[in-house]
Amino acid sequence: MERPRRLRLQPVMRQMLAEAQIRPSALIQPVFVVEGTGIEAPIPRLPGVSHYSVDRLVDAVRAVADAGIRAVLLFGVPGRKDAQGSAAWASDGVVQRACAALRERCPGLILMTDLCLCAYTDHGHCGVVRSGCIDNDATLALLAETALSQAKAGAHVVAPSDMMDGRVGAIRTALDAAAQHDVAIMSYAVKYASAFYGPFREAQHSSPHEGDRRSYQMDPARGEREALREVRLDIEEGADMVMVKPALPYLDILRAVREASQVPVVAYQVSGEYAMIEAAAQAGSLDRTAALWESLTAIHRAGADLIITYAAAEMARKMAVDKG
Ligand code: PBG
């Protein structure tokens, strides 16, 4: 009889044989920045996550860095919205000011900026809207402008999440023309029109007022071929890393992307995935830490080099304790 259990009997043996081991340095912490001062406001649907004004952000991010996290992904909640989303590229925008402050006061930390218009437009879409439709090509210049202003403010990595065609190329061209060669692009290459973004949209005030995002985000019913096409295009256009989002419901896609690409692959455990675990834990249905651990391990095992998760700092702290 074959006895696979022989290798599972002792904890030490299990530890020796572990293949997928999450490291704190492979986790990225999303952070929400708001206008104003003195603000640290918990986000009800994302327990453990808060809105911070720039003055409060630095201490919060220092605590994240102290936990062993090496990178944050910044999301802005602007004070004003307009049809084009002009606060996205304002040199004194929330994300720009956050980058400047963190560059100065958290040296060594990698600053990543979400690059999209939806939180900045008064209609809540990720692109320019003309006659009720998204104008893909008119959006590219605005995204490029936003990338440039984030780069100038100190972002190391810009992360376009809009899903317009051609945006990675437009951003790379704009960055290069401004001699921002060293700023990397982490593209949300494979991003589905997902129901799991609910808590996030509430936190970033970025739900579309009319319609939905299915004309630009991907259909969950499509498969690997469309995903690989998006990845190929983004890499050809200059993406330094590619992302799959959401993570856990799309592990098949994550694995396919990992096998097909030569750049690092990032997975985003999105707000709904996190909130779902949180809600089940609060209802007493499952163990929060164990469920987070298992989910992140599965995402890593499926092929993610890096994982964006709201639980990044929390899990990093737990790993430090476990190591003793
Ligand atoms: C902006 C953006 C979204 C998320 C990240 N960037 C929302 C969306 O596309 O609708 C979702 C992140 C999450 O749910 O945690 N376009």
mmCIF file of all heavy atoms in Angstrom, residues 123-168:
data_model
loop_
_atom_site.group_PDB
_atom_site.id
_atom_site.type_symbol
_atom_site.label_atom_id
_atom_site.label_comp_id
_atom_site.label_asym_id
_atom_site.label_seq_id
_atom_site.Cartn_x
_atom_site.Cartn_y
_atom_site.Cartn_z
ATOM 1 N N HIS A 123 -19.226 60.734 -12.927
ATOM 2 C CA HIS A 123 -20.100 59.636 -13.365
ATOM 3 C C HIS A 123 -19.635 58.283 -12.836
ATOM 4 O O HIS A 123 -20.355 57.292 -12.911
ATOM 5 C CB HIS A 123 -20.197 59.603 -14.898
ATOM 6 C CG HIS A 123 -18.874 59.759 -15.574
ATOM 7 N ND1 HIS A 123 -17.924 58.767 -15.572
ATOM 8 C CD2 HIS A 123 -18.320 60.806 -16.250
ATOM 9 C CE1 HIS A 123 -16.839 59.195 -16.223
ATOM 10 N NE2 HIS A 123 -17.056 60.432 -16.642
ATOM 11 N N GLY A 124 -18.411 58.228 -12.329
ATOM 12 C CA GLY A 124 -17.930 57.000 -11.707
ATOM 13 C C GLY A 124 -17.410 55.938 -12.667
ATOM 14 O O GLY A 124 -17.150 54.808 -12.259
ATOM 15 N N HIS A 125 -17.228 56.292 -13.943
ATOM 16 C CA HIS A 125 -16.639 55.319 -14.864
ATOM 17 C C HIS A 125 -15.119 55.502 -14.919
ATOM 18 O O HIS A 125 -14.589 56.539 -14.542
ATOM 19 C CB HIS A 125 -17.273 55.433 -16.251
ATOM 20 C CG HIS A 125 -18.568 54.658 -16.341
ATOM 21 N ND1 HIS A 125 -18.605 53.283 -16.343
ATOM 22 C CD2 HIS A 125 -19.852 55.076 -16.392
ATOM 23 C CE1 HIS A 125 -19.870 52.876 -16.405
ATOM 24 N NE2 HIS A 125 -20.654 53.945 -16.430
ATOM 25 N N CYS A 126 -14.461 54.467 -15.433
ATOM 26 C CA CYS A 126 -12.996 54.473 -15.446
ATOM 27 C C CYS A 126 -12.430 55.201 -16.660
ATOM 28 O O CYS A 126 -11.220 55.232 -16.864
ATOM 29 C CB CYS A 126 -12.473 53.040 -15.404
ATOM 30 S SG CYS A 126 -13.111 52.098 -14.002
ATOM 31 N N GLY A 127 -13.317 55.746 -17.482
ATOM 32 C CA GLY A 127 -12.840 56.451 -18.665
ATOM 33 C C GLY A 127 -13.748 57.625 -18.982
ATOM 34 O O GLY A 127 -14.753 57.850 -18.297
ATOM 35 N N VAL A 128 -13.373 58.346 -20.035
ATOM 36 C CA VAL A 128 -14.171 59.478 -20.503
ATOM 37 C C VAL A 128 -15.493 58.945 -21.062
ATOM 38 O O VAL A 128 -15.501 57.954 -21.801
ATOM 39 C CB VAL A 128 -13.407 60.234 -21.625
ATOM 40 C CG1 VAL A 128 -14.264 61.338 -22.223
ATOM 41 C CG2 VAL A 128 -12.097 60.779 -21.075
ATOM 42 N N VAL A 129 -16.603 59.571 -20.687
ATOM 43 C CA VAL A 129 -17.909 59.141 -21.197
ATOM 44 C C VAL A 129 -18.397 60.153 -22.223
ATOM 45 O O VAL A 129 -18.435 61.357 -21.953
ATOM 46 C CB VAL A 129 -18.946 59.012 -20.058
ATOM 47 C CG1 VAL A 129 -20.320 58.631 -20.612
ATOM 48 C CG2 VAL A 129 -18.501 57.972 -19.036
ATOM 49 N N ARG A 130 -18.725 59.650 -23.436
ATOM 50 C CA ARG A 130 -19.310 60.507 -24.478
ATOM 51 C C ARG A 130 -20.568 59.859 -25.006
ATOM 52 O O ARG A 130 -20.512 58.709 -25.425
ATOM 53 C CB ARG A 130 -18.323 60.691 -25.639
ATOM 54 C CG ARG A 130 -17.362 61.778 -25.307
ATOM 55 C CD ARG A 130 -16.808 62.533 -26.508
ATOM 56 N NE ARG A 130 -15.809 63.439 -25.957
ATOM 57 C CZ ARG A 130 -14.498 63.338 -26.160
ATOM 58 N NH1 ARG A 130 -14.036 62.445 -26.988
ATOM 59 N NH2 ARG A 130 -13.679 64.171 -25.565
ATOM 60 N N SER A 131 -21.662 60.567 -24.970
ATOM 61 C CA SER A 131 -22.961 60.044 -25.414
ATOM 62 C C SER A 131 -23.245 58.679 -24.810
ATOM 63 O O SER A 131 -23.644 57.739 -25.512
ATOM 64 C CB SER A 131 -23.034 59.934 -26.946
ATOM 65 O OG SER A 131 -22.420 61.004 -27.571
ATOM 66 N N GLY A 132 -22.968 58.562 -23.543
ATOM 67 C CA GLY A 132 -23.292 57.310 -22.848
ATOM 68 C C GLY A 132 -22.327 56.165 -23.094
ATOM 69 O O GLY A 132 -22.525 55.068 -22.586
ATOM 70 N N CYS A 133 -21.265 56.421 -23.894
ATOM 71 C CA CYS A 133 -20.289 55.355 -24.149
ATOM 72 C C CYS A 133 -18.914 55.772 -23.639
ATOM 73 O O CYS A 133 -18.610 56.957 -23.547
ATOM 74 C CB CYS A 133 -20.173 55.085 -25.650
ATOM 75 S SG CYS A 133 -21.646 54.331 -26.327
ATOM 76 N N ILE A 134 -18.095 54.774 -23.364
ATOM 77 C CA ILE A 134 -16.723 55.068 -22.940
ATOM 78 C C ILE A 134 -15.895 55.395 -24.170
ATOM 79 O O ILE A 134 -15.868 54.633 -25.134
ATOM 80 C CB ILE A 134 -16.100 53.829 -22.243
ATOM 81 C CG1 ILE A 134 -16.957 53.363 -21.059
ATOM 82 C CG2 ILE A 134 -14.668 54.110 -21.813
ATOM 83 C CD1 ILE A 134 -17.062 54.327 -19.916
ATOM 84 N N ASP A 135 -15.215 56.531 -24.138
ATOM 85 C CA ASP A 135 -14.310 56.900 -25.230
ATOM 86 C C ASP A 135 -12.909 56.417 -24.852
ATOM 87 O O ASP A 135 -12.169 57.096 -24.132
ATOM 88 C CB ASP A 135 -14.355 58.424 -25.437
ATOM 89 C CG ASP A 135 -13.568 58.847 -26.672
ATOM 90 O OD1 ASP A 135 -12.644 58.099 -27.077
ATOM 91 O OD2 ASP A 135 -13.880 59.913 -27.214
ATOM 92 N N ASN A 136 -12.598 55.231 -25.328
ATOM 93 C CA ASN A 136 -11.325 54.583 -24.982
ATOM 94 C C ASN A 136 -10.131 55.491 -25.252
ATOM 95 O O ASN A 136 -9.306 55.763 -24.374
ATOM 96 C CB ASN A 136 -11.191 53.288 -25.796
ATOM 97 C CG ASN A 136 -9.998 52.433 -25.404
ATOM 98 O OD1 ASN A 136 -10.128 51.486 -24.648
ATOM 99 N ND2 ASN A 136 -8.808 52.755 -25.891
ATOM 100 N N ASP A 137 -10.046 55.988 -26.493
ATOM 101 C CA ASP A 137 -8.813 56.672 -26.885
ATOM 102 C C ASP A 137 -8.668 58.044 -26.240
ATOM 103 O O ASP A 137 -7.542 58.481 -25.968
ATOM 104 C CB ASP A 137 -8.716 56.747 -28.416
ATOM 105 C CG ASP A 137 -8.619 55.341 -29.013
ATOM 106 O OD1 ASP A 137 -8.809 54.355 -28.263
ATOM 107 O OD2 ASP A 137 -8.356 55.228 -30.219
ATOM 108 N N ALA A 138 -9.811 58.693 -25.959
ATOM 109 C CA ALA A 138 -9.722 59.987 -25.267
ATOM 110 C C ALA A 138 -9.268 59.778 -23.821
ATOM 111 O O ALA A 138 -8.694 60.674 -23.200
ATOM 112 C CB ALA A 138 -11.084 60.685 -25.293
ATOM 113 N N THR A 139 -9.496 58.598 -23.293
ATOM 114 C CA THR A 139 -9.110 58.300 -21.905
ATOM 115 C C THR A 139 -7.597 58.139 -21.766
ATOM 116 O O THR A 139 -7.023 58.464 -20.726
ATOM 117 C CB THR A 139 -9.811 57.001 -21.434
ATOM 118 O OG1 THR A 139 -11.221 57.137 -21.635
ATOM 119 C CG2 THR A 139 -9.546 56.724 -19.968
ATOM 120 N N LEU A 140 -6.958 57.659 -22.847
ATOM 121 C CA LEU A 140 -5.531 57.314 -22.737
ATOM 122 C C LEU A 140 -4.671 58.497 -22.311
ATOM 123 O O LEU A 140 -3.771 58.367 -21.473
ATOM 124 C CB LEU A 140 -5.020 56.734 -24.069
ATOM 125 C CG LEU A 140 -5.748 55.468 -24.546
ATOM 126 C CD1 LEU A 140 -5.115 54.943 -25.836
ATOM 127 C CD2 LEU A 140 -5.722 54.383 -23.468
ATOM 128 N N ALA A 141 -4.972 59.677 -22.887
ATOM 129 C CA ALA A 141 -4.159 60.854 -22.565
ATOM 130 C C ALA A 141 -4.314 61.225 -21.090
ATOM 131 O O ALA A 141 -3.349 61.636 -20.432
ATOM 132 C CB ALA A 141 -4.571 62.027 -23.454
ATOM 133 N N LEU A 142 -5.524 61.034 -20.558
ATOM 134 C CA LEU A 142 -5.763 61.393 -19.156
ATOM 135 C C LEU A 142 -5.045 60.424 -18.217
ATOM 136 O O LEU A 142 -4.508 60.807 -17.178
ATOM 137 C CB LEU A 142 -7.271 61.417 -18.864
ATOM 138 C CG LEU A 142 -8.128 62.277 -19.799
ATOM 139 C CD1 LEU A 142 -9.566 62.329 -19.302
ATOM 140 C CD2 LEU A 142 -7.555 63.687 -19.921
ATOM 141 N N LEU A 143 -5.041 59.154 -18.610
ATOM 142 C CA LEU A 143 -4.326 58.162 -17.798
ATOM 143 C C LEU A 143 -2.820 58.436 -17.824
ATOM 144 O O LEU A 143 -2.135 58.337 -16.795
ATOM 145 C CB LEU A 143 -4.611 56.751 -18.322
ATOM 146 C CG LEU A 143 -6.056 56.257 -18.155
ATOM 147 C CD1 LEU A 143 -6.278 54.981 -18.950
ATOM 148 C CD2 LEU A 143 -6.384 56.017 -16.675
ATOM 149 N N ALA A 144 -2.330 58.793 -19.015
ATOM 150 C CA ALA A 144 -0.896 59.075 -19.145
ATOM 151 C C ALA A 144 -0.516 60.288 -18.285
ATOM 152 O O ALA A 144 0.502 60.273 -17.575
ATOM 153 C CB ALA A 144 -0.554 59.326 -20.613
ATOM 154 N N GLU A 145 -1.368 61.287 -18.318
ATOM 155 C CA GLU A 145 -1.147 62.501 -17.505
ATOM 156 C C GLU A 145 -1.138 62.142 -16.012
ATOM 157 O O GLU A 145 -0.307 62.626 -15.234
ATOM 158 C CB GLU A 145 -2.310 63.453 -17.807
ATOM 159 C CG GLU A 145 -2.301 64.761 -17.079
ATOM 160 C CD GLU A 145 -1.569 65.842 -17.842
ATOM 161 O OE1 GLU A 145 -1.480 65.743 -19.085
ATOM 162 O OE2 GLU A 145 -1.078 66.778 -17.185
ATOM 163 N N THR A 146 -2.046 61.287 -15.616
ATOM 164 C CA THR A 146 -2.131 60.871 -14.205
ATOM 165 C C THR A 146 -0.880 60.070 -13.813
ATOM 166 O O THR A 146 -0.304 60.290 -12.734
ATOM 167 C CB THR A 146 -3.404 60.028 -13.979
ATOM 168 O OG1 THR A 146 -4.531 60.780 -14.418
ATOM 169 C CG2 THR A 146 -3.588 59.683 -12.506
ATOM 170 N N ALA A 147 -0.459 59.185 -14.700
ATOM 171 C CA ALA A 147 0.743 58.382 -14.420
ATOM 172 C C ALA A 147 1.941 59.303 -14.202
ATOM 173 O O ALA A 147 2.727 59.126 -13.263
ATOM 174 C CB ALA A 147 1.022 57.431 -15.576
ATOM 175 N N LEU A 148 2.039 60.289 -15.067
ATOM 176 C CA LEU A 148 3.169 61.211 -14.997
ATOM 177 C C LEU A 148 3.145 61.993 -13.685
ATOM 178 O O LEU A 148 4.173 62.160 -13.032
ATOM 179 C CB LEU A 148 3.077 62.166 -16.191
ATOM 180 C CG LEU A 148 4.355 62.837 -16.629
ATOM 181 C CD1 LEU A 148 5.456 61.816 -16.833
ATOM 182 C CD2 LEU A 148 4.090 63.597 -17.937
ATOM 183 N N SER A 149 1.974 62.446 -13.300
ATOM 184 C CA SER A 149 1.922 63.241 -12.068
ATOM 185 C C SER A 149 2.193 62.352 -10.852
ATOM 186 O O SER A 149 2.826 62.783 -9.886
ATOM 187 C CB SER A 149 0.594 64.001 -11.968
ATOM 188 O OG SER A 149 -0.346 63.284 -11.247
ATOM 189 N N GLN A 150 1.786 61.102 -10.907
ATOM 190 C CA GLN A 150 2.095 60.194 -9.789
ATOM 191 C C GLN A 150 3.601 59.905 -9.745
ATOM 192 O O GLN A 150 4.210 59.869 -8.669
ATOM 193 C CB GLN A 150 1.302 58.886 -9.942
ATOM 194 C CG GLN A 150 -0.218 59.087 -9.772
ATOM 195 C CD GLN A 150 -1.019 57.812 -9.974
ATOM 196 O OE1 GLN A 150 -0.524 56.829 -10.521
ATOM 197 N NE2 GLN A 150 -2.277 57.821 -9.539
ATOM 198 N N ALA A 151 4.184 59.721 -10.933
ATOM 199 C CA ALA A 151 5.631 59.458 -10.999
ATOM 200 C C ALA A 151 6.407 60.658 -10.458
ATOM 201 O O ALA A 151 7.340 60.505 -9.656
ATOM 202 C CB ALA A 151 6.040 59.161 -12.438
ATOM 203 N N LYS A 152 5.995 61.848 -10.870
ATOM 204 C CA LYS A 152 6.697 63.057 -10.400
ATOM 205 C C LYS A 152 6.564 63.226 -8.901
ATOM 206 O O LYS A 152 7.449 63.752 -8.240
ATOM 207 C CB LYS A 152 6.131 64.297 -11.105
ATOM 208 C CG LYS A 152 6.637 64.442 -12.528
ATOM 209 C CD LYS A 152 6.098 65.724 -13.153
ATOM 210 C CE LYS A 152 6.500 65.828 -14.613
ATOM 211 N NZ LYS A 152 5.533 66.636 -15.392
ATOM 212 N N ALA A 153 5.435 62.767 -8.360
ATOM 213 C CA ALA A 153 5.216 62.890 -6.916
ATOM 214 C C ALA A 153 6.018 61.854 -6.127
ATOM 215 O O ALA A 153 6.123 61.943 -4.913
ATOM 216 C CB ALA A 153 3.732 62.743 -6.603
ATOM 217 N N GLY A 154 6.564 60.847 -6.827
ATOM 218 C CA GLY A 154 7.418 59.890 -6.124
ATOM 219 C C GLY A 154 6.987 58.440 -6.185
ATOM 220 O O GLY A 154 7.592 57.585 -5.533
ATOM 221 N N ALA A 155 5.965 58.129 -6.968
ATOM 222 C CA ALA A 155 5.562 56.719 -7.086
ATOM 223 C C ALA A 155 6.682 55.909 -7.753
ATOM 224 O O ALA A 155 7.272 56.361 -8.726
ATOM 225 C CB ALA A 155 4.278 56.609 -7.906
ATOM 226 N N HIS A 156 6.951 54.723 -7.210
ATOM 227 C CA HIS A 156 7.920 53.830 -7.858
ATOM 228 C C HIS A 156 7.243 52.983 -8.927
ATOM 229 O O HIS A 156 7.859 52.557 -9.892
ATOM 230 C CB HIS A 156 8.541 52.876 -6.843
ATOM 231 C CG HIS A 156 9.300 53.541 -5.748
ATOM 232 N ND1 HIS A 156 8.759 53.809 -4.516
ATOM 233 C CD2 HIS A 156 10.569 53.999 -5.705
ATOM 234 C CE1 HIS A 156 9.667 54.398 -3.750
ATOM 235 N NE2 HIS A 156 10.769 54.529 -4.453
ATOM 236 N N VAL A 157 5.978 52.682 -8.687
ATOM 237 C CA VAL A 157 5.224 51.774 -9.553
ATOM 238 C C VAL A 157 3.843 52.377 -9.787
ATOM 239 O O VAL A 157 3.156 52.715 -8.814
ATOM 240 C CB VAL A 157 5.051 50.389 -8.882
ATOM 241 C CG1 VAL A 157 4.265 49.440 -9.778
ATOM 242 C CG2 VAL A 157 6.406 49.786 -8.509
ATOM 243 N N VAL A 158 3.434 52.510 -11.035
ATOM 244 C CA VAL A 158 2.051 52.935 -11.298
ATOM 245 C C VAL A 158 1.262 51.712 -11.761
ATOM 246 O O VAL A 158 1.775 50.851 -12.469
ATOM 247 C CB VAL A 158 1.962 54.084 -12.340
ATOM 248 C CG1 VAL A 158 2.607 55.354 -11.801
ATOM 249 C CG2 VAL A 158 2.555 53.687 -13.680
ATOM 250 N N ALA A 159 0.006 51.647 -11.306
ATOM 251 C CA ALA A 159 -0.790 50.433 -11.529
ATOM 252 C C ALA A 159 -2.117 50.768 -12.210
ATOM 253 O O ALA A 159 -3.119 51.023 -11.538
ATOM 254 C CB ALA A 159 -1.021 49.733 -10.195
ATOM 255 N N PRO A 160 -2.115 50.791 -13.554
ATOM 256 C CA PRO A 160 -3.361 51.112 -14.256
ATOM 257 C C PRO A 160 -4.419 50.022 -14.076
ATOM 258 O O PRO A 160 -4.168 48.855 -14.342
ATOM 259 C CB PRO A 160 -2.933 51.233 -15.728
ATOM 260 C CG PRO A 160 -1.627 50.533 -15.829
ATOM 261 C CD PRO A 160 -0.986 50.595 -14.476
ATOM 262 N N SER A 161 -5.613 50.448 -13.612
ATOM 263 C CA SER A 161 -6.674 49.472 -13.308
ATOM 264 C C SER A 161 -7.936 49.733 -14.117
ATOM 265 O O SER A 161 -8.991 49.194 -13.818
ATOM 266 C CB SER A 161 -7.004 49.503 -11.809
ATOM 267 O OG SER A 161 -7.533 50.757 -11.428
ATOM 268 N N ASP A 162 -7.816 50.558 -15.146
ATOM 269 C CA ASP A 162 -8.988 51.037 -15.893
ATOM 270 C C ASP A 162 -9.495 50.072 -16.959
ATOM 271 O O ASP A 162 -10.655 50.119 -17.340
ATOM 272 C CB ASP A 162 -8.592 52.326 -16.592
ATOM 273 C CG ASP A 162 -7.323 52.087 -17.396
ATOM 274 O OD1 ASP A 162 -6.239 52.029 -16.776
ATOM 275 O OD2 ASP A 162 -7.411 51.881 -18.617
ATOM 276 N N MET A 163 -8.586 49.251 -17.517
ATOM 277 C CA MET A 163 -8.913 48.283 -18.572
ATOM 278 C C MET A 163 -9.217 48.908 -19.933
ATOM 279 O O MET A 163 -9.882 48.287 -20.777
ATOM 280 C CB MET A 163 -10.056 47.353 -18.148
ATOM 281 C CG MET A 163 -9.671 46.369 -17.062
ATOM 282 S SD MET A 163 -8.257 45.327 -17.492
ATOM 283 C CE MET A 163 -9.022 44.089 -18.547
ATOM 284 N N MET A 164 -8.712 50.129 -20.187
ATOM 285 C CA MET A 164 -8.814 50.653 -21.554
ATOM 286 C C MET A 164 -7.766 49.950 -22.420
ATOM 287 O O MET A 164 -6.669 49.628 -21.951
ATOM 288 C CB MET A 164 -8.537 52.171 -21.580
ATOM 289 C CG MET A 164 -9.536 53.020 -20.820
ATOM 290 S SD MET A 164 -11.237 52.797 -21.379
ATOM 291 C CE MET A 164 -12.052 52.387 -19.833
ATOM 292 N N ASP A 165 -8.091 49.771 -23.700
ATOM 293 C CA ASP A 165 -7.106 49.193 -24.619
ATOM 294 C C ASP A 165 -6.000 50.218 -24.873
ATOM 295 O O ASP A 165 -6.275 51.404 -25.073
ATOM 296 C CB ASP A 165 -7.770 48.855 -25.962
ATOM 297 C CG ASP A 165 -8.763 47.709 -25.831
ATOM 298 O OD1 ASP A 165 -8.601 46.874 -24.918
ATOM 299 O OD2 ASP A 165 -9.697 47.645 -26.654
ATOM 300 N N GLY A 166 -4.779 49.755 -24.876
ATOM 301 C CA GLY A 166 -3.654 50.619 -25.255
ATOM 302 C C GLY A 166 -3.122 51.496 -24.140
ATOM 303 O O GLY A 166 -2.215 52.297 -24.355
ATOM 304 N N ARG A 167 -3.648 51.333 -22.929
ATOM 305 C CA ARG A 167 -3.223 52.295 -21.895
ATOM 306 C C ARG A 167 -1.812 52.063 -21.415
ATOM 307 O O ARG A 167 -1.101 53.029 -21.107
ATOM 308 C CB ARG A 167 -4.242 52.343 -20.749
ATOM 309 C CG ARG A 167 -4.002 51.443 -19.571
ATOM 310 C CD ARG A 167 -4.530 50.069 -19.794
ATOM 311 N NE ARG A 167 -4.878 49.512 -18.458
ATOM 312 C CZ ARG A 167 -4.846 48.252 -18.147
ATOM 313 N NH1 ARG A 167 -4.504 47.363 -19.051
ATOM 314 N NH2 ARG A 167 -5.163 47.836 -16.945
ATOM 315 N N VAL A 168 -1.360 50.826 -21.391
ATOM 316 C CA VAL A 168 0.000 50.601 -20.911
ATOM 317 C C VAL A 168 1.002 51.275 -21.860
ATOM 318 O O VAL A 168 1.938 51.947 -21.417
ATOM 319 C CB VAL A 168 0.309 49.091 -20.746
ATOM 320 C CG1 VAL A 168 1.775 48.873 -20.400
ATOM 321 C CG2 VAL A 168 -0.582 48.490 -19.659
#
